[in-house]
Amino acid sequence: MGYRRTAEEIAAIRTTLSGVEFVGGESLSVDFLTHPGTVRAILPAELEPGDEPRLTAQVSRWRSNCVGDFAASAVYVSAQDEGVTGDYVLTMFMNSDMPLLFGRDLYGEPKKLGSSTIHRNDGHMTGVLARHGHELIRIEADLGEDRGPREVLGRNYNVKYDLAPDGSGLIGSPTLMRAEFAQHTTVLRTGPASLTLGGTVHDPLHELEILEQRDAVYVETGMRASCEVVGAMDAAEFFPLALGRSDYWPALVSARLPTHS
Ligand SMILES: CC(=O)CC(=O)O
């Protein structure tokens, strides 16, 4: 009876979720600087901005030991919590339900469905995120020689929370989460790139003004992931950011009940 897991199944799930591996990763990303005021507005009050107002746009694809194969995109914001630097995940897109549910339910990642593609033609690489027919991220990069393998520890901040069903606030306190990704990167190539951010009322990436853009970074990588609770957050402060993690409900009207006199 799969709707009530047995003790053996629970043990197997626990083993899987405490040893999460994302493997065969190919990731193309571009860092850019934006206005400090934008960074302050999109970060939760509990996080401080990083050393510079740096955002990262990324398109990638992965295999895994827990959610199958998937393609992903994200925008990250440089941040810190009491001196521990990391990237706050502003928005993230998966191409299927289980990577989406994994991230939302377990780590608090602001995931939605979206279509990510990453293609290489010799040294030229293209990464594109599209959602509902709108192109939200396009990276075109000319990559240099491989700089060789390295170990990298990535750190992300996310938030778990419950929205009240009538949209009036949050139920209880949100929780700040910190995920760590211990990466073994086998290929690292960098090079000049163009980054274009599109947007809609649901996914306003175009509001993130690119003031200074850095070279693209392409990696082939695998990583072990883990996540821990940092602490409780202020519900009223986080509420507007929580609503910004979903599509804009009022713009999703497709029909209304007939009005009764
Ligand atoms: C590779 C990933 O996208 C992992 C995650 O943060 O869910």
Side-chain angles (χ1 to χ4, degrees), residues 78-178:
S78 174
Q80 50 184 314
D81 170 58
E82 297 184 355
V84 183
T85 56
D87 285 327
Y88 173 71
V89 186
L90 180 66
T91 187
M92 204 175 226
F93 303 85
M94 299 282 130
N95 67 338
S96 65
D97 58 355
M98 279 320 293
L100 186 151
L101 290 173
F102 170 92
R104 276 206 171 247
D105 287 357
L106 302 179
Y107 287 17
E109 293 170 320
K111 289 182 171 179
K112 298 178 176 184
L113 282 178
S115 162
S116 301
T117 52
I118 176 167
H119 293 297
R120 187 155 55 81
N121 182 1
D122 196 14
H124 188 83
M125 188 131 213
T126 303
V128 174
L129 164 68
R131 185 162 187 262
H132 300 319
H134 297 276
E135 201 170 279
L136 300 176
I137 299 177
R138 174 173 285 270
I139 302 172
E140 299 282 353
D142 290 305
L143 302 172
E145 293 301 308
D146 179 18
R147 300 181 182 198
R150 60 201 67 204
E151 308 295 320
V152 180
L153 181 66
R155 206 179 282 121
N156 287 357
Y157 288 105
N158 288 292
V159 183
K160 288 172 100 162
Y161 59 93
D162 276 330
L163 277 178
D166 65 355
S168 58
L170 299 184
I171 301 172
S173 298
T175 306
L176 184 64
M177 309 292 293
R178 183 163 51 224

XYZ file of all heavy atoms in Angstrom, residues 78-178:
777
model
N 23.497 37.357 -4.396
C 24.585 37.243 -3.417
C 24.115 37.776 -2.059
O 23.577 38.887 -1.968
C 25.781 38.046 -3.919
O 26.785 38.058 -2.946
N 24.324 36.978 -1.007
C 23.795 37.341 0.312
C 24.699 36.784 1.398
O 25.663 36.055 1.126
C 22.380 36.777 0.464
N 24.376 37.157 2.642
C 25.076 36.558 3.783
C 24.180 36.576 5.006
O 23.314 37.444 5.154
C 26.391 37.276 4.070
C 26.301 38.778 4.163
C 27.669 39.388 4.351
O 28.464 38.928 5.162
N 27.957 40.434 3.589
N 24.415 35.590 5.862
C 23.702 35.510 7.135
C 24.757 35.412 8.234
O 25.453 34.390 8.325
C 22.799 34.267 7.171
C 22.236 34.023 8.557
O 21.565 34.925 9.091
O 22.504 32.940 9.122
N 24.879 36.470 9.026
C 25.883 36.529 10.095
C 27.252 36.102 9.587
O 27.937 35.260 10.187
C 25.427 35.674 11.275
C 24.138 36.216 11.881
C 23.676 35.466 13.125
O 24.301 34.461 13.481
O 22.700 35.937 13.721
N 27.643 36.655 8.442
C 28.975 36.420 7.895
C 29.103 35.155 7.062
O 30.140 34.923 6.441
N 28.069 34.317 7.035
C 28.125 33.099 6.210
C 27.566 33.445 4.834
O 26.354 33.676 4.675
C 27.326 31.947 6.854
C 27.468 30.682 6.014
C 27.785 31.710 8.284
N 28.459 33.518 3.843
C 28.037 33.949 2.508
C 27.318 32.819 1.781
O 27.574 31.631 2.015
C 29.243 34.407 1.663
O 30.174 33.328 1.618
C 29.906 35.632 2.266
N 26.414 33.203 0.884
C 25.685 32.225 0.081
C 24.815 32.957 -0.919
O 24.761 34.185 -0.924
N 24.152 32.208 -1.765
C 23.268 32.809 -2.760
C 21.825 32.568 -2.363
O 21.410 31.410 -2.189
C 23.517 32.191 -4.140
C 24.805 32.703 -4.756
O 25.164 33.861 -4.515
O 25.450 31.923 -5.473
N 21.057 33.652 -2.217
C 19.609 33.534 -2.001
C 18.973 33.185 -3.344
O 19.287 33.799 -4.368
C 19.070 34.857 -1.467
C 17.569 34.905 -1.358
C 16.901 34.164 -0.388
C 16.821 35.697 -2.217
C 15.515 34.215 -0.288
C 15.434 35.756 -2.114
C 14.795 35.005 -1.151
O 13.423 35.062 -1.051
N 18.101 32.174 -3.333
C 17.468 31.754 -4.585
C 16.225 32.615 -4.806
O 15.240 32.507 -4.085
C 17.103 30.253 -4.553
C 16.576 29.827 -5.915
C 18.312 29.415 -4.161
N 16.314 33.486 -5.814
C 15.204 34.414 -6.096
C 14.075 33.702 -6.826
O 12.903 33.870 -6.506
C 15.715 35.583 -6.942
C 14.666 36.625 -7.306
C 14.171 37.361 -6.066
C 15.242 37.625 -8.315
N 14.439 32.903 -7.829
C 13.445 32.158 -8.600
C 14.146 30.981 -9.258
O 15.344 31.052 -9.552
C 12.739 33.068 -9.626
O 11.673 32.363 -10.236
C 13.693 33.586 -10.690
N 13.395 29.884 -9.461
C 14.019 28.661 -9.974
C 12.982 27.897 -10.795
O 11.792 27.888 -10.441
C 14.476 27.819 -8.788
C 15.584 26.856 -9.082
S 16.123 26.048 -7.550
C 17.879 26.188 -7.704
N 13.399 27.266 -11.860
C 12.479 26.631 -12.794
C 12.949 25.209 -13.088
O 14.131 25.000 -13.387
C 12.413 27.428 -14.104
C 12.002 28.856 -13.888
C 12.949 29.822 -13.561
C 10.670 29.227 -13.972
C 12.578 31.137 -13.338
C 10.284 30.541 -13.747
C 11.242 31.502 -13.426
N 12.022 24.262 -13.015
C 12.309 22.853 -13.290
C 11.417 22.387 -14.430
O 10.330 22.940 -14.635
C 12.008 22.000 -12.051
C 12.813 22.353 -10.838
S 14.500 21.715 -10.909
C 15.430 23.195 -10.501
N 11.820 21.333 -15.129
C 11.008 20.886 -16.263
C 10.104 19.705 -15.920
O 9.432 19.177 -16.805
C 11.898 20.542 -17.461
C 12.757 19.324 -17.203
O 13.000 18.975 -16.039
N 13.217 18.675 -18.248
N 10.099 19.272 -14.639
C 9.154 18.215 -14.274
C 8.807 18.298 -12.793
O 9.430 19.061 -12.035
C 9.685 16.828 -14.646
O 10.826 16.537 -13.904
N 7.792 17.483 -12.394
C 7.208 17.706 -11.073
C 8.092 17.276 -9.909
O 8.148 17.956 -8.884
C 5.803 17.079 -10.976
C 5.770 15.588 -11.256
O 6.813 15.018 -11.622
O 4.686 14.983 -11.118
N 8.819 16.165 -10.008
C 9.537 15.716 -8.811
C 10.718 16.604 -8.414
O 10.892 16.899 -7.220
C 9.951 14.241 -8.938
C 8.813 13.286 -8.608
S 7.774 13.782 -7.177
C 8.903 13.633 -5.810
N 11.552 17.080 -9.357
C 12.570 18.061 -8.932
C 11.933 19.310 -8.353
O 12.462 19.916 -7.412
C 13.351 18.380 -10.209
C 12.899 17.441 -11.242
C 11.690 16.699 -10.766
N 10.758 19.698 -8.883
C 10.065 20.886 -8.373
C 9.606 20.643 -6.925
O 9.862 21.444 -6.028
C 8.884 21.197 -9.292
C 8.106 22.479 -9.011
C 7.495 23.007 -10.300
C 6.998 22.268 -8.003
N 8.951 19.489 -6.700
C 8.433 19.215 -5.354
C 9.560 18.997 -4.354
O 9.471 19.417 -3.201
C 7.516 17.987 -5.394
C 6.182 18.223 -6.110
C 5.409 16.923 -6.246
C 5.352 19.254 -5.359
N 10.628 18.331 -4.805
C 11.796 18.142 -3.928
C 12.259 19.491 -3.399
O 12.417 19.702 -2.202
C 12.918 17.456 -4.724
C 14.240 17.430 -4.004
C 14.593 16.348 -3.212
C 15.140 18.488 -4.115
C 15.801 16.329 -2.537
C 16.355 18.482 -3.444
C 16.685 17.391 -2.657
N 12.474 20.424 -4.313
C 13.028 21.730 -3.922
C 12.074 22.520 -3.049
O 12.464 23.095 -2.033
N 10.790 22.555 -3.422
C 9.810 23.352 -2.655
C 9.581 22.724 -1.280
O 9.628 23.406 -0.262
C 8.491 23.444 -3.418
C 8.482 24.557 -4.447
C 7.041 25.041 -4.719
N 7.077 26.248 -5.533
C 6.691 27.449 -5.105
N 6.235 27.627 -3.897
N 6.768 28.492 -5.907
N 9.295 21.410 -1.253
C 8.890 20.776 0.007
C 10.054 20.610 0.980
O 9.883 20.760 2.185
C 8.298 19.384 -0.259
C 6.919 19.457 -0.880
O 6.406 20.581 -1.054
O 6.356 18.397 -1.202
N 11.225 20.264 0.461
C 12.321 19.901 1.371
C 13.251 21.072 1.670
O 13.663 21.259 2.812
C 13.128 18.732 0.785
C 12.310 17.466 0.502
C 13.182 16.386 -0.103
C 11.659 16.944 1.786
N 13.633 21.840 0.645
C 14.640 22.891 0.839
C 14.033 24.296 0.894
O 14.704 25.243 1.263
C 15.684 22.843 -0.286
C 16.657 21.674 -0.220
C 16.405 20.549 0.552
C 17.837 21.704 -0.944
C 17.286 19.487 0.599
C 18.741 20.650 -0.897
C 18.449 19.539 -0.137
O 19.339 18.492 -0.092
N 12.773 24.431 0.458
C 12.155 25.757 0.433
C 12.519 26.568 -0.798
O 12.421 27.806 -0.794
N 12.916 25.889 -1.875
C 13.308 26.617 -3.096
C 12.070 27.116 -3.845
O 11.063 26.403 -3.928
C 14.126 25.702 -4.008
C 15.477 25.341 -3.399
C 16.190 24.243 -4.165
O 15.533 23.283 -4.606
O 17.414 24.319 -4.309
N 12.151 28.332 -4.432
C 10.975 28.943 -5.093
C 10.799 28.435 -6.528
O 10.931 29.182 -7.490
C 11.317 30.432 -5.067
C 12.809 30.459 -5.140
C 13.307 29.226 -4.423
N 10.488 27.148 -6.643
C 10.486 26.528 -7.972
C 9.131 26.630 -8.650
O 8.091 26.539 -8.013
C 10.878 25.053 -7.850
C 12.350 24.856 -7.499
C 12.707 23.385 -7.435
C 14.213 23.212 -7.301
N 14.608 21.806 -7.203
N 9.199 26.775 -9.974
C 8.036 26.708 -10.859
C 8.407 25.799 -12.021
O 9.585 25.502 -12.228
C 7.727 28.089 -11.442
C 7.358 29.165 -10.457
C 7.139 30.464 -11.213
C 6.675 31.566 -10.284
N 6.377 32.796 -11.040
N 7.397 25.431 -12.819
C 7.700 24.693 -14.042
C 8.206 25.658 -15.111
O 7.692 26.779 -15.241
C 6.452 23.978 -14.564
C 6.055 22.695 -13.852
C 4.760 22.145 -14.464
C 7.159 21.637 -13.948
N 9.195 25.265 -15.854
C 9.730 26.063 -16.958
C 10.578 25.156 -17.820
O 11.009 24.081 -17.375
N 10.832 25.574 -19.043
C 11.581 24.741 -19.991
C 12.989 25.312 -20.176
O 13.148 26.432 -20.666
C 10.814 24.727 -21.318
O 11.665 24.302 -22.342
N 13.994 24.546 -19.768
C 15.387 24.999 -19.883
C 16.104 24.141 -20.915
O 15.976 22.918 -20.907
C 16.112 24.854 -18.544
O 15.473 25.605 -17.557
N 16.875 24.796 -21.799
C 17.675 24.051 -22.772
C 19.092 24.604 -22.774
O 19.304 25.814 -22.620
C 17.095 24.161 -24.198
O 16.909 25.550 -24.509
C 15.765 23.442 -24.318
N 20.032 23.687 -22.930
C 21.435 24.089 -22.962
C 22.095 23.288 -24.082
O 21.995 22.066 -24.119
C 22.078 23.886 -21.561
C 23.558 24.203 -21.547
C 21.805 22.561 -20.952
C 24.127 24.306 -20.118
N 22.684 24.009 -25.050
C 23.269 23.373 -26.234
C 24.646 23.950 -26.493
O 24.873 25.152 -26.318
C 22.399 23.616 -27.480
C 21.069 22.925 -27.416
N 20.928 21.567 -27.359
C 19.813 23.428 -27.383
C 19.639 21.253 -27.301
N 18.948 22.376 -27.309
N 25.545 23.056 -26.948
C 26.905 23.498 -27.248
C 27.231 23.188 -28.706
O 26.860 22.142 -29.227
C 27.903 22.772 -26.334
C 29.329 23.287 -26.453
C 30.089 23.005 -25.179
N 30.062 21.595 -24.808
C 30.859 20.673 -25.325
N 31.738 20.997 -26.265
N 30.799 19.415 -24.926
N 27.870 24.133 -29.366
C 28.341 23.927 -30.730
C 29.804 24.344 -30.731
O 30.122 25.522 -30.821
C 27.515 24.783 -31.705
C 27.933 24.569 -33.134
O 28.836 23.764 -33.404
N 27.305 25.283 -34.051
N 30.690 23.339 -30.571
C 32.115 23.608 -30.400
C 32.274 24.540 -29.197
O 31.826 24.202 -28.113
C 32.697 24.194 -31.690
C 34.228 24.106 -31.675
O 34.765 23.380 -30.817
O 34.865 24.770 -32.499
N 32.860 25.730 -29.383
C 33.075 26.612 -28.238
C 31.903 27.518 -27.932
O 31.948 28.263 -26.945
N 30.870 27.491 -28.758
C 29.736 28.380 -28.498
C 28.652 27.629 -27.719
O 28.290 26.510 -28.082
C 29.144 28.929 -29.797
C 28.114 29.995 -29.527
N 28.459 31.297 -29.285
C 26.772 29.920 -29.415
C 27.363 32.002 -29.037
N 26.321 31.183 -29.107
N 28.136 28.267 -26.693
C 27.131 27.605 -25.858
C 25.929 28.520 -25.680
O 26.078 29.727 -25.453
C 27.751 27.294 -24.511
C 26.891 26.462 -23.630
S 27.901 25.121 -22.989
C 26.710 23.825 -22.872
N 24.739 27.916 -25.758
C 23.493 28.664 -25.606
C 22.670 28.039 -24.481
O 22.463 26.826 -24.466
C 22.672 28.605 -26.912
O 23.465 29.111 -27.988
C 21.395 29.436 -26.803
N 22.213 28.865 -23.555
C 21.307 28.400 -22.502
C 20.060 29.255 -22.531
O 20.143 30.484 -22.533
N 18.885 28.612 -22.557
C 17.619 29.353 -22.663
C 16.613 28.801 -21.657
O 16.458 27.585 -21.518
C 17.033 29.238 -24.099
C 15.652 29.881 -24.171
C 17.964 29.881 -25.116
N 15.932 29.716 -20.966
C 14.770 29.374 -20.137
C 13.534 30.003 -20.770
O 13.516 31.215 -21.041
C 14.927 29.929 -18.719
C 13.620 29.975 -17.905
C 13.125 28.573 -17.571
C 13.803 30.810 -16.643
N 12.497 29.181 -21.009
C 11.228 29.704 -21.512
C 10.099 29.200 -20.624
O 10.177 28.099 -20.052
C 10.991 29.270 -22.947
N 9.076 30.027 -20.490
C 7.902 29.624 -19.690
C 6.654 30.211 -20.344
O 6.611 31.410 -20.597
C 8.080 30.135 -18.263
C 6.985 29.674 -17.322
C 7.391 29.820 -15.854
N 6.380 29.226 -15.014
C 5.418 29.919 -14.397
N 5.374 31.232 -14.503
N 4.519 29.293 -13.680
N 5.689 29.357 -20.621
C 4.437 29.772 -21.265
C 4.706 30.619 -22.517
O 4.066 31.656 -22.735
C 3.562 30.564 -20.290
C 3.177 29.783 -19.068
N 2.807 28.461 -19.108
C 3.135 30.138 -17.757
C 2.529 28.033 -17.894
N 2.738 29.027 -17.045
N 5.685 30.216 -23.307
C 5.960 30.893 -24.570
C 6.797 32.156 -24.455
O 7.091 32.801 -25.462
N 7.195 32.527 -23.256
C 8.022 33.725 -23.065
C 9.447 33.301 -22.727
O 9.660 32.509 -21.807
C 7.483 34.595 -21.928
C 6.118 35.135 -22.201
N 5.914 36.285 -22.932
C 4.899 34.668 -21.864
C 4.605 36.501 -23.020
N 3.971 35.537 -22.385
N 10.410 33.887 -23.450
C 11.809 33.607 -23.141
C 12.223 34.489 -21.962
O 12.154 35.713 -22.046
C 12.657 33.918 -24.384
C 13.980 33.207 -24.366
C 14.695 33.324 -25.695
O 14.370 32.570 -26.626
O 15.595 34.180 -25.791
N 12.648 33.882 -20.869
C 12.977 34.632 -19.654
C 14.479 34.806 -19.471
O 14.930 35.803 -18.900
C 12.388 33.923 -18.429
C 10.857 33.764 -18.433
C 10.403 32.953 -17.226
C 10.181 35.135 -18.452
N 15.266 33.821 -19.896
C 16.733 33.925 -19.824
C 17.294 33.426 -21.149
O 16.869 32.381 -21.651
C 17.322 33.045 -18.687
C 16.806 33.460 -17.312
C 18.853 33.085 -18.710
C 17.294 32.568 -16.155
N 18.238 34.171 -21.710
C 19.042 33.674 -22.844
C 20.493 34.027 -22.581
O 20.837 35.201 -22.373
C 18.590 34.252 -24.185
C 19.539 33.845 -25.346
C 19.007 34.280 -26.689
N 17.897 33.435 -27.130
C 18.029 32.337 -27.860
N 19.239 31.920 -28.245
N 16.964 31.645 -28.214
N 21.336 33.012 -22.577
C 22.787 33.211 -22.439
C 23.439 32.688 -23.717
O 23.201 31.538 -24.114
C 23.352 32.429 -21.225
C 22.657 32.844 -19.926
C 24.856 32.639 -21.119
C 23.026 31.972 -18.717
N 24.215 33.539 -24.370
C 25.012 33.123 -25.531
C 26.464 33.344 -25.137
O 26.868 34.471 -24.827
C 24.688 33.974 -26.770
C 23.240 33.899 -27.259
C 22.932 32.625 -28.049
O 23.867 31.851 -28.328
O 21.742 32.421 -28.359
N 27.263 32.275 -25.145
C 28.635 32.391 -24.615
C 29.648 31.769 -25.567
O 29.367 30.752 -26.212
C 28.706 31.694 -23.261
N 30.813 32.385 -25.648
C 31.938 31.815 -26.394
C 32.976 31.382 -25.372
O 33.611 32.225 -24.718
C 32.508 32.855 -27.370
C 31.535 33.119 -28.507
O 31.149 32.132 -29.170
O 31.121 34.279 -28.687
N 33.134 30.065 -25.240
C 33.910 29.523 -24.126
C 35.373 29.284 -24.498
O 35.675 28.809 -25.593
C 33.282 28.200 -23.663
C 31.818 28.318 -23.225
C 31.237 26.935 -22.975
C 31.703 29.191 -21.981
N 36.248 29.593 -23.552
C 37.679 29.334 -23.739
C 38.031 27.911 -23.341
O 37.168 27.056 -23.143
N 39.362 27.679 -23.212
C 39.862 26.332 -22.899
C 39.439 25.887 -21.509
O 39.222 26.717 -20.618
C 41.403 26.332 -22.978
C 41.951 26.535 -24.367
C 41.462 25.455 -25.332
O 41.613 24.262 -24.996
O 40.914 25.810 -26.389
N 39.384 24.570 -21.320
C 39.075 23.985 -20.011
C 40.175 24.352 -19.007
O 41.362 24.213 -19.302
C 38.986 22.462 -20.156
C 38.694 21.776 -18.835
O 38.223 22.449 -17.896
O 38.945 20.553 -18.761
N 39.773 24.844 -17.844
C 40.743 25.202 -16.799
C 40.968 24.078 -15.797
O 41.634 24.283 -14.774
C 40.263 26.444 -16.055
C 40.105 27.652 -16.957
C 39.670 28.818 -16.134
N 39.456 29.993 -16.951
C 39.404 31.216 -16.440
N 39.552 31.410 -15.148
N 39.196 32.247 -17.231
N 40.339 22.926 -16.014
C 40.633 21.759 -15.194
C 39.719 21.600 -14.000
O 38.925 22.472 -13.680
N 39.864 20.445 -13.332
C 38.955 20.105 -12.237
C 39.200 20.916 -10.972
O 40.298 21.441 -10.781
C 39.256 18.625 -11.973
C 40.602 18.392 -12.524
C 40.839 19.386 -13.615
N 38.188 20.995 -10.135
C 38.325 21.652 -8.828
C 37.157 21.276 -7.907
O 36.127 20.796 -8.368
C 38.433 23.166 -8.957
C 37.266 23.859 -9.600
C 37.696 25.209 -10.132
N 38.633 25.079 -11.248
C 39.511 26.011 -11.625
N 39.582 27.149 -10.971
N 40.321 25.821 -12.646
N 37.384 21.500 -6.617
C 36.336 21.268 -5.616
C 35.734 22.623 -5.248
O 36.464 23.586 -4.997
C 36.909 20.622 -4.339
C 37.736 19.364 -4.580
C 36.917 18.215 -5.151
O 35.771 18.024 -4.710
O 37.448 17.524 -6.066
N 34.421 22.694 -5.197
C 33.740 23.957 -4.898
C 32.623 23.685 -3.884
O 31.887 22.696 -4.032
C 33.094 24.555 -6.177
C 32.381 25.865 -5.872
C 34.120 24.734 -7.278
N 32.498 24.534 -2.858
C 31.361 24.412 -1.943
C 30.378 25.539 -2.230
O 30.699 26.713 -2.013
C 31.822 24.477 -0.484
C 30.670 24.333 0.521
C 30.058 22.938 0.454
C 31.128 24.652 1.931
N 29.204 25.191 -2.756
C 28.160 26.188 -3.009
C 27.200 26.219 -1.828
O 26.961 25.201 -1.171
N 26.664 27.414 -1.573
C 25.749 27.561 -0.435
C 24.557 28.405 -0.881
O 24.753 29.484 -1.438
C 26.497 28.252 0.697
C 25.971 27.939 2.062
C 26.762 28.640 3.139
N 28.032 28.029 3.446
C 29.215 28.647 3.345
N 29.292 29.886 2.939
N 30.316 28.021 3.658
N 23.337 27.911 -0.645
C 22.126 28.647 -1.037
C 21.244 28.912 0.174
O 21.143 28.060 1.067
C 21.282 27.837 -2.027
C 21.904 27.781 -3.408
O 22.945 28.386 -3.660
N 21.276 27.045 -4.297
N 20.581 30.065 0.172
C 19.565 30.364 1.183
C 18.184 30.286 0.550
O 17.965 30.789 -0.562
C 19.784 31.763 1.766
C 20.989 31.834 2.677
C 22.167 32.441 2.263
C 20.945 31.272 3.941
C 23.278 32.494 3.100
C 22.046 31.324 4.788
C 23.200 31.930 4.357
O 24.285 31.962 5.188
N 17.258 29.647 1.274
C 15.871 29.527 0.841
C 14.953 29.718 2.039
O 15.423 29.806 3.175
C 15.641 28.134 0.234
C 16.303 27.990 -1.110
O 15.895 28.617 -2.077
N 17.360 27.176 -1.181
N 13.655 29.719 1.768
C 12.688 29.951 2.842
C 11.521 28.972 2.708
O 10.966 28.810 1.625
C 12.142 31.401 2.788
C 11.184 31.647 3.954
C 13.285 32.410 2.818
N 11.168 28.328 3.842
C 9.961 27.497 3.887
C 8.877 28.271 4.625
O 9.165 28.910 5.642
C 10.243 26.184 4.606
C 11.109 25.239 3.787
C 11.530 24.043 4.591
C 10.689 22.847 4.283
N 11.336 21.582 4.717
N 7.656 28.211 4.109
C 6.574 29.002 4.705
C 5.237 28.422 4.269
O 5.176 27.646 3.305
C 6.677 30.473 4.240
C 6.607 30.598 2.738
C 5.410 30.816 2.083
C 7.761 30.424 1.968
C 5.342 30.878 0.701
C 7.704 30.478 0.589
C 6.499 30.704 -0.038
O 6.445 30.740 -1.403
N 4.173 28.814 4.973
C 2.808 28.426 4.601
C 1.984 29.680 4.355
O 1.886 30.535 5.241
C 2.131 27.656 5.749
C 2.484 26.192 5.736
O 2.731 25.656 4.644
O 2.510 25.596 6.828
N 1.375 29.782 3.187
C 0.475 30.901 2.902
C -0.914 30.599 3.475
O -1.401 29.464 3.346
C 0.307 31.074 1.393
C 1.353 31.856 0.612
C 0.985 31.849 -0.853
C 1.468 33.286 1.125
N -1.543 31.598 4.089
C -2.938 31.451 4.493
C -3.782 31.280 3.230
O -3.531 31.937 2.217
C -3.395 32.684 5.264
N -4.796 30.393 3.261
C -5.539 30.099 2.029
C -6.293 31.283 1.438
O -6.582 31.292 0.243
C -6.511 28.977 2.453
C -6.455 28.905 3.922
C -5.178 29.537 4.379
N -6.578 32.310 2.245
C -7.261 33.479 1.673
C -6.270 34.582 1.291
O -6.656 35.706 0.984
C -8.310 34.028 2.651
C -7.669 34.566 3.927
O -6.439 34.429 4.099
O -8.407 35.124 4.760
N -4.981 34.268 1.290
C -3.970 35.234 0.849
C -3.772 36.393 1.809
O -3.201 37.422 1.440
N -4.219 36.239 3.050
C -4.157 37.369 3.999
C -2.832 37.444 4.749
O -2.580 38.414 5.457
C -5.306 37.253 5.009
O -5.208 36.010 5.677
N -2.002 36.443 4.618
C -0.735 36.470 5.359
C -0.117 35.090 5.366
O -0.466 34.237 4.542
N 0.814 34.893 6.271
C 1.444 33.579 6.427
C 0.895 32.912 7.683
O 0.500 33.586 8.635
C 2.962 33.720 6.557
C 3.702 34.362 5.383
C 5.208 34.328 5.621
C 3.376 33.656 4.070
N 0.880 31.588 7.674
C 0.498 30.831 8.866
C 1.792 30.513 9.614
O 2.664 29.813 9.094
C -0.224 29.531 8.495
C -1.486 29.834 7.686
C -0.538 28.723 9.747
C -2.157 28.600 7.120
N 1.952 31.049 10.782
C 3.176 30.806 11.550
C 4.352 31.569 10.980
O 4.217 32.431 10.109
N 5.545 31.240 11.475
C 6.763 31.933 11.040
C 7.402 31.199 9.874
O 7.469 29.966 9.889
C 7.785 31.972 12.176
O 7.277 32.686 13.251
N 7.912 31.937 8.889
C 8.720 31.277 7.862
C 10.043 30.800 8.470
O 10.448 31.285 9.528
C 8.981 32.371 6.825
C 8.357 33.604 7.322
C 7.813 33.383 8.686
N 10.695 29.883 7.770
C 11.956 29.313 8.256
C 13.047 29.544 7.227
O 12.894 29.167 6.061
C 11.795 27.790 8.490
O 10.681 27.573 9.345
C 13.049 27.200 9.121
N 14.132 30.161 7.664
C 15.287 30.335 6.773
C 16.061 29.019 6.707
O 16.367 28.424 7.748
C 16.191 31.460 7.301
C 17.387 31.830 6.430
C 16.943 32.384 5.073
C 18.273 32.870 7.142
N 16.331 28.562 5.466
C 17.026 27.293 5.232
C 18.368 27.573 4.544
O 18.466 28.482 3.720
C 16.197 26.384 4.315
C 14.756 26.176 4.725
S 14.582 25.237 6.231
C 15.187 23.631 5.711
N 19.365 26.763 4.861
C 20.666 26.886 4.182
C 21.035 25.527 3.585
O 21.149 24.534 4.303
C 21.746 27.331 5.167
C 23.092 27.550 4.495
C 24.037 28.379 5.364
N 24.134 27.858 6.703
C 24.107 28.618 7.811
N 24.014 29.921 7.746
N 24.190 28.065 9.007
